[in-house]
Amino acid sequence: MQNVRTISRSIKSGGIRETEARPFVHVLADSSDKLSAVCSLLDQNFSVAGERLDAEAKLSQVPFAVVVRADLRDVGNIAAIKKRASKLAKAQRRIFLVEYSSHLSISQAYALGATHVLPGTIDKSKLRAALADRAETAPASSTSPQTDNAAETAATAIASMFTAVMLGEPIDVDGTKEAGRKIADRITEHGLSEWLTTVRRHHEGTYQHCLLVTGLAIDFGLSLGVGGTDLERLYSAAMFHDIGKARIPLAILDKPDRLDADERAMIETHPAAGYEFLKDHEKISREILDAVRHHHEYLDGSGYPDALSGESISDIVRILTISDIFAALIEHRHYKPTVPRAEAYDILCAMGGKLEKALVTSFKQVALTR
């Protein structure tokens, strides 16, 4: 947060006293103990106001950030947060302290509008990092609230989709496709690098990956000159491609060490699982289903789940696979270093007969210059 200086005119000492205004943070919690604990962590560095979720909503001043600590398995807590949604949305940062490190809790937090989710025991350093000076993390060119909305809308759509899968509820296909369209509009207007910077600043894990893949696939499609209908298929496939990971335990998805054979086998179930989730939905086209199921297939037949090869792999899948691999290399994860874009592109080039050479060559401007 850039320093905000306030001038306090005072008769005392017969002059003008200049004081530093601290950023305002609003804390919401589902118990007094949790509320007190979070407020005590922040009150030395921020101007803090606290409110229990079961109390009447009183938030009037727009805060720099909102910090929420609540059990998101409780439908009453979820309803209380939704009741405050329009006011919370005005805060630049919405940090959810999730006590249970499960897909459901984390995706529920993002579906409620979180920009940061910190699972498990409260880590003071991580909380303060999430609230760090926004001037240090903002992209070189500022973005308007309207363009920021594209990232938030898309992350919320992906999180809502994961939540629906885990709860056995209907998936909002139209909302997910609309979020993809907003990403396409934003990248067309502001470019790919701005999108990558924004996503990596605000989102983590599977949601960050889906947003990165969607942005890369859109920019790749634009660079190839694909038409509007094909671009819609491409960004829809990218938004849906990892939905099968909703059933993979976080302990496996985020494991910092090499996966064992059983864990690798579990990971490799996600394309077929995603296909099964979506196959009976009337608004999901055959091309999108094909991309969800086959985005880990390689031209040499070494991919999964169906060991497709050559001409059996569609153009949309070929584009999506390149975007997916590149996104996995450049994304920020706590258990692995981020690969620079130039190095990530070299890795793609070294994959030989697994990827279409002409497409990898065309991807160079997306990877390095767009």
Side-chain angles (χ1 to χ4, degrees), residues 51-315:
E51 184 175 303
R52 279 181 50 147
L53 285 170
D54 57 0
E56 182 181 352
K58 296 180 179 178
L59 180 61
S60 54
Q61 180 183 350
V62 176
F64 156 60
V66 174
V67 178
V68 180
R69 187 183 181 196
D71 185 350
L72 298 184
R73 301 171 302 173
D74 186 310
V75 294
N77 288 339
I78 293 171
I81 295 169
K82 286 182 176 179
K83 187 176 180 180
R84 296 166 167 83
S86 61
K87 292 184 178 179
L88 299 187
K90 296 177 183 178
Q92 183 182 357
R93 299 190 184 180
R94 296 175 295 281
I95 301 166
F96 280 60
L97 308 178
V98 176
E99 299 169 21
Y100 300 93
S101 299
S102 68
H103 261 314
L104 184 56
S105 293
I106 293 173
S107 62
Q108 188 69 264
Y110 278 117
L112 289 167
T115 57
H116 296 70
V117 177
L118 303 178
T121 305
I122 295 180
D123 185 313
K124 186 176 181 179
S125 62
K126 288 183 179 180
L127 177 57
R128 290 193 172 172
L131 288 165
D133 190 333
R134 71 165 174 258
E136 296 176 2
T137 54
S141 59
S142 61
T143 50
S144 68
Q146 188 173 15
T147 55
D148 275 340
N149 182 255
E152 296 180 6
T153 298
T156 299
I158 292 168
S160 297
M161 180 170 61
F162 270 63
T163 302
V165 168
M166 287 179 282
L167 296 178
E169 297 175 349
I171 295 169
D172 182 5
V173 172
D174 290 336
T176 303
K177 288 183 177 180
E178 174 62 16
R181 185 192 63 75
K182 287 187 176 183
I183 298 174
D185 290 346
R186 176 166 173 173
I187 289 174
T188 299
E189 183 176 354
H190 295 278
L192 176 64
S193 291
E194 188 271 346
W195 174 252
L196 299 183
T197 299
T198 299
V199 169
R200 290 190 292 196
R201 190 172 79 248
H202 285 301
H203 302 286
E204 303 139 357
T206 300
Y207 313 113
Q208 181 189 97
H209 178 71
C210 288
L211 294 169
L212 290 175
V213 173
T214 302
L216 287 163
I218 287 169
D219 201 59
F220 197 5
L222 291 171
S223 74
L224 294 170
V226 303
T229 301
D230 284 336
L231 188 66
E232 180 182 349
R233 291 194 187 102
L234 188 55
Y235 65 63
S236 297
M239 290 289 285
F240 288 114
H241 83 285
D242 267 351
I243 189 174
K245 286 184 178 178
R247 292 290 174 85
I248 306 295
L250 283 175
I252 295 178
L253 285 179
D254 291 342
K255 185 178 178 180
D257 303 315
R258 184 180 297 275
L259 299 177
D260 63 31
D262 290 340
E263 291 166 338
R264 170 54 58 187
M266 173 68 77
I267 286 283
E268 293 183 359
T269 64
H270 82 269
Y275 173 85
E276 291 298 320
F277 293 145
L278 298 172
K279 68 178 184 179
D280 296 324
H281 202 296
E282 61 181 12
K283 293 184 179 180
I284 302 290
S285 69
R286 179 181 58 80
E287 293 88 352
I288 294 173
L289 286 173
D290 178 61
V292 169
R293 185 176 179 92
H294 295 132
H295 64 276
H296 283 288
E297 302 284 4
Y298 292 135
L299 296 179
D300 64 1
S302 63
Y304 62 89
D306 299 318
L308 298 184
S309 62
E311 296 304 313
S312 300
I313 301 175
S314 71
D315 289 341

